């Protein structure tokens, strides 16, 4: 019979093995990051489409037929979105380039003098905004638009073009196979889990799936609805750049307060430059006010809920840290990984609050664990209800 000290050493070595395995996986992902992007995209799309495939299977269709229907629907939706958004965004950017002199003049002749009067500092003395604005305009004129800029950048490297084409071509193929074999992949991963940890790993996997579902499905729908709502609302107000500003605000909605704040700032500036009156500024504020009410009381409670639990600072840190460590792949994985880590941290907190290190020599009742301010060693308060 082994002594408790040997058991502790063996347990520590097992945990050290798991830590070494996790570090090895991170190192491997860092090495393979340039080629993993289409696989990660395909994995997310397959994960999103698998519930629909399972529902079609329960309705009596075969797996292959269900996968084909879901895959075709996803491809058509993506293609329709690209056909609508790409020309629309390019026209909006062309409008922005054409309107750039008006924004420059408003900034130099109206905004800066107002700020200088309030703070008492001559900003134009140490910042050459005329040179900056001319440099931006020259670059846009030389580029000829966002599509030309992107193609010109990619054409500098033949490998970059080949890699982009390969990723685009591989994405639907990998997505189809992931979607077809999703249940088989899940079963094979589950078969590799040590039997002693199967229950807790299954529980954490279900919680992580709920969190990721709330984020990927719910937050994407919220971003889409708000982007369309803000864009149409600002267009109805009369802003030439309303659709572009609305799309930017909707895209940034995944960080609480950042989306509406950026949209309000850009919308107010666009209204002042284009119209120069407070009526259109009020219209911009009304659009974002209505959007925030709908998001807070309808969209977020019904589509996302409160299962993610990520603080705005944690969201920003996750995106920046992912980009710093793994580039674009890290930014793509940042929020899903942060949501899963949040589930693991809640489980670690639960284990810690039931551990001997936290409890000490005296057991703590469950109601005391639920209230971190309660002292389990104090007697309950007396009941002073009047007779």
């Amino acid at each position: 019979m082994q002594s408790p000290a040997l058991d502790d050493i063996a347990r520590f070595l097992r945990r050290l093995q798991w830590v070494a395995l996790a570090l090895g996986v991170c190192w491997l992902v860092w090495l393979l990051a340039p080629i993993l992007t289409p696989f990660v995209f395909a994995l997310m799309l397959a994960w999103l489409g698998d519930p629909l495939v399972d529902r079609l299977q329960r309705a009596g269709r075969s797996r292959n037929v269900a996968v084909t229907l879901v895959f075709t629907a996803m491809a058509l939706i993506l293609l329709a979105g690209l056909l609508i958004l790409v020309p629309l965004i390019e026209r909006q950017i062309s409008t922005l380039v054409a309107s750039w002199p008006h924004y420059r003049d408003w900034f130099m002749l109206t905004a800066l003098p107002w700020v200088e009067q309030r703070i008492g500092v001559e900003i134009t003395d140490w910042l050459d905004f005329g040179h900056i604005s001319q440099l931006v305009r020259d670059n846009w004129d030389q580029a000829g638009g966002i599509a030309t800029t992107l193609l010109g950048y990619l054409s500098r490297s033949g490998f970059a073009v080949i890699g982009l084409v390969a990723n685009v071509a591989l994405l639907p193929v990998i997505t189809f196979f992931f979607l077809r074999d999703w249940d088989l992949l899940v079963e094979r991963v589950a078969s590799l889990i040590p039997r002693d940890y199967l229950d807790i790993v299954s529980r954490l996997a279900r919680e992580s799936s709920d969190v990721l579902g709330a984020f990927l499905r719910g937050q994407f729908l919220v971003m889409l609805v708000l982007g369309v709502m803000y864009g149409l609302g600002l267009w109805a107000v009369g802003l030439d750049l309303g659709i572009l500003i609305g799309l930017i605000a909707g895209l940034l909605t995944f960080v609480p307060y950042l989306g509406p704040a950026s949209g309000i700032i850009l919308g107010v500036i666009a209204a002042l430059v284009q119209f120069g009156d407070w009526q259109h500024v009020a219209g911009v504020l009304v659009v974002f006010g209505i959007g925030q009410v709908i998001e807070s009381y309808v969209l977020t409670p019904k589509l996302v809920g409160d299962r993610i639990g990520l603080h705005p600072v944690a969201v920003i840190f996750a995106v920046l840290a992912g980009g710093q460590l793994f580039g674009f792949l890290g930014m793509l994985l940042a929020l899903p990984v942060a949501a899963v880590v949040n589930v693991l941290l809640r489980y670690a907190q639960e284990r810690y609050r039931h551990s001997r290190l936290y409890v000490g020599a005296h057991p703590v009742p469950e109601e005391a664990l639920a209230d971190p301010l309660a002292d389990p060693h104090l007697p309950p308060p007396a009941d002073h209800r009047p007779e």
Side-chain angles (χ1 to χ4, degrees), residues 97 100 131-144:
V97 173
W100 180 256
H131 175 71
I132 295 174
S133 62
Q134 185 62 37
L135 182 63
V136 173
R137 180 61 185 269
D138 292 342
N139 288 335
W140 273 109
D141 291 340
Q142 294 173 5

Side-chain angles (χ1 to χ4, degrees), residues 54-88:
D54 293 339
R55 185 175 300 178
L56 290 176
Q57 278 189 281
R58 290 192 296 268
R61 293 177 175 84
S62 65
R63 180 78 183 183
N64 290 332
V65 172
V67 168
T68 303
L69 292 175
V70 173
F71 179 81
T72 303
M74 295 172 65
L76 291 177
I77 292 173
L78 181 61
L79 180 62
L82 291 177
L83 291 177
I84 294 173
L85 287 179
V86 171
L88 185 62

